[in-house]
């Protein structure tokens, strides 16, 4: 038993000495290639075994022949271990360089393509994370390009929509100033109409800016959708009469919701105005409100004939207007963007889909908890 303990002690001391030397070497080579570190680890393993063997041999007074045999065996093991460590290190380094090159591609604006060669589990996990990050960056770039396109369209359309009424206001004011207006009262009424249009446009821009910067302060209160829809229908009735459109609101359940009444009235007003202006005379605009598995669904259905499928994803984008709506009464394309912003501020969702003969705008709001 005593001999066994002595052997274990001498082997341990020899291994510790080799391990300390290996730790110093690893510290000095910590910024070098992984191949060098793996070679040091292999050398430490073999060196620890050799040091322990020599220490035991010295203590046990092995014959020179036996000591030579043991040393030779350990030396051959060292050669194989170092060769294996070098091959493994070079393989891992090569895979790491391939991964670095692939990562550089999506950093420069491209897509990440994982190396085809097999890699370690850690490198494979890193590759998957890089692929997921690349996908998120691609989505972010697409959103940024879409927003930039939307901003450019908005600036162009706002400039056009401002230039037209301003030119009319200038012409009418000059006619009144020069005394050549045949009907001054009609000119004054038209000036007032154009000023109200400009005021509404500026109000929409201000509302949209508050939504984008997150400064839309809501004052929610408990109310019935029946009352909310009734007020919106009453407000839109004059415009509907002017366009010869019939308003229908007979599928409105008295569902309680907790919303900002002023902002939700704006949502309904924008949807109704949008529907009335795009529904032909003698058409119908229907409003409905009902419970669903997802919450409370408030919908406005029109008879616009439908929206092209490729345009459906852009309907709520800032500045978007259908090709048939590029006329001044259609506004600057801000109404539906404001609708989405207000609805999302209420933790809801705005959507649109085509139906036979028209389209249906849906606003889904959270159900009021009892």
């Amino acid at each position: 038993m005593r001999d066994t303990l002595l052997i274990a002690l001498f082997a341990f001391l020899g291994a510790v000495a080799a391990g300390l030397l290996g730790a110093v070497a690893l510290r000095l080579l910590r910024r070098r290639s992984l191949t060098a570190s793996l070679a040091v680890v292999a050398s430490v393993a073999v060196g620890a075994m050799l040091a322990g063997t020599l220490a035991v041999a010295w203590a046990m007074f092995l014959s020179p022949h036996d000591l030579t045999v043991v040393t030779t065996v350990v030396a051959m093991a060292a050669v194989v271990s170092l060769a294996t460590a070098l091959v493994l290190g070079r393989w891992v380094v090569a895979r790491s360089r391939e991964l670095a090159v692939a990562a550089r591609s999506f950093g420069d604006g491209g897509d990440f393509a994982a190396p085809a060669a097999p890699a370690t589990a850690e490198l494979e996990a890193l590759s998957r994370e890089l692929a997921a990050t690349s996908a998120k960056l691609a989505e972010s770039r697409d959103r940024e390009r879409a927003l930039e396109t939307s901003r450019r369209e908005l600036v162009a359309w706002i400039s056009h929509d401002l230039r037209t009424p301003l030119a009319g206001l200038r012409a009418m004011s000059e006619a009144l100033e020069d005394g050549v207006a045949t009907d001054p009262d009609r000119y004054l009424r038209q000036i007032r109409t154009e000023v109200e249009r400009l005021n509404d446009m500026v109000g929409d821009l201000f509302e949209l800016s508050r939504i984008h910067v997150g400064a839309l302060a809501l004052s929610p209160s408990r109310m019935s959708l029946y009352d909310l829809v009734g007020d919106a229908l009453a407000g839109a009735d004059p415009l509907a009469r002017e366009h010869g459109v019939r308003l229908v609101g007979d599928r409105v359940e008295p569902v309680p919701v907790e919303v900002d009444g002023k902002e939700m009235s704006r949502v309904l007003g924008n949807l109704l105005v949008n529907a009335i202006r795009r529904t032909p005379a003698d058409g119908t605009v229907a409003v409905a409100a009902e419970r669903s598995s997802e919450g409370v669904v408030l919908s406005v259905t029109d008879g616009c004939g439908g929206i092209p499928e490729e345009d459906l994803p852009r309907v709520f984008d800032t500045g978007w207007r259908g090709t048939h709506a590029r006329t001044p009464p259609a506004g600057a394309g801000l109404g539906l963007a404001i609708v989405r912003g207000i609805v999302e501020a209420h933790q809801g969702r705005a959507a649109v889909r085509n139906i036979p003969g028209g389209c249906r705008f849906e606003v889904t709001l959270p159900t009021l908890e009892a």
Side-chain angles (χ1 to χ4, degrees):
M1 184 65 181
R2 181 173 177 276
D3 292 340
T4 302
L5 292 176
L6 285 175
I7 291 173
L9 177 62
F10 283 118
F12 175 75
L13 292 176
V16 167
L20 291 176
L21 291 176
V24 173
L26 286 175
R27 180 173 179 81
L28 294 175
L29 299 174
R30 65 185 182 276
R31 298 185 184 277
R32 302 294 296 274
S33 172
L34 179 63
T35 304
S37 298
L38 287 175
V40 170
V41 171
S43 300
V44 167
V46 176
M49 183 175 61
L50 179 60
T53 301
L54 292 177
V56 171
W58 174 79
M60 301 301 294
F61 303 104
L62 293 179
S63 66
H65 177 267
D66 293 341
L67 184 59
T68 301
V69 171
V70 171
T71 305
T72 302
V73 172
V74 172
M76 293 302 100
V79 171
V80 174
S81 298
L82 287 174
T84 304
L86 291 175
V87 171
L88 176 61
R90 291 176 64 86
W91 180 79
V92 173
V93 168
R95 300 292 83 76
S96 299
R97 288 174 179 170
E98 292 176 359
L99 195 59
V101 172
R104 191 179 302 119
S105 65
F106 85 84
D108 295 335
D111 294 328
F112 175 79
T120 64
E122 292 77 11
L123 291 179
E124 187 68 25
L126 178 59
S127 179
R128 288 194 298 268
E129 290 298 325
L130 288 174
T133 302
S134 175
K136 292 179 181 178
L137 286 175
E139 293 177 1
S140 178
R141 284 192 294 265
D142 291 341
R143 285 196 301 269
E144 184 179 356
R145 283 192 289 265
L147 287 174
E148 182 62 26
T149 301
S150 178
R151 282 193 292 265
R152 290 179 180 177
E153 292 177 349
L154 175 62
V155 171
W157 293 340
I158 285 290
S159 301
H160 174 270
D161 290 344
L162 286 176
R163 187 181 297 113
T164 301
L166 287 175
L169 288 172
R170 174 188 290 179
M172 288 183 287
S173 62
E174 289 177 351
L176 290 172
E177 184 179 5
D178 296 337
V180 297
T182 57
D183 188 354
D185 291 338
R186 184 174 67 85
Y187 274 48
L188 291 173
R189 288 193 299 271
Q190 186 63 28
I191 288 175
R192 180 180 179 85
T193 300
E194 296 296 335
V195 169
E196 289 178 351
R197 276 191 54 218
L198 292 174
N199 182 68
D200 292 341
M201 191 180 302
V202 172
D204 286 346
L205 286 171
F206 179 71
E207 182 79 359
L208 195 62
S209 67
R210 287 200 305 158
I211 292 172
H212 283 173
V213 301
L216 183 64
L218 300 178
S219 300
S221 60
R222 185 188 180 101
M223 62 181 60
S224 172
L225 274 183
Y226 188 85
D227 297 333
L228 195 65
V229 172
D231 293 341
L233 289 175
D237 186 64
L239 181 64
R241 292 178 181 274
E242 179 184 344
H243 285 73
V245 175
R246 187 166 63 99
L247 292 179
V248 176
D250 53 4
R251 290 180 51 210
V252 180
E253 299 180 9
V255 182
V257 290
E258 188 168 349
V259 296
D260 187 308
K262 178 182 176 182
E263 298 296 343
M264 285 306 300
S265 295
R266 181 162 194 156
V267 167
L268 270 175
N270 286 357
L271 291 177
L272 285 171
V273 169
N274 180 73
I276 291 170
R277 285 176 172 169
R278 285 158 180 77
T279 298
D282 297 329
T284 300
V285 171
V287 182
E290 53 193 354
R291 296 180 186 271
S292 75
S293 58
E294 299 180 351
V296 179
V297 179
L298 180 63
S299 64
V300 176
T301 304
D302 60 36
C304 67
I307 300 173
E309 291 295 328
E310 63 272 15
D311 288 341
L312 282 176
R314 296 197 57 203
V315 167
F316 292 98
D317 288 352
T318 301
W320 181 87
R321 294 182 295 187
T323 54
H324 67 287
R326 306 287 175 88
T327 55
L334 305 180
L336 293 179
I338 292 174
V339 166
R340 180 174 64 178
I342 294 176
V343 171
E344 290 180 351
H346 283 83
Q347 308 302 315
R349 185 181 73 256
V352 60
R353 58 187 173 89
N354 286 323
I355 61 172
C359 57
R360 176 184 172 99
F361 287 83
E362 295 181 346
V363 171
T364 304
L365 298 172
T367 304
L368 181 62
E369 297 180 1

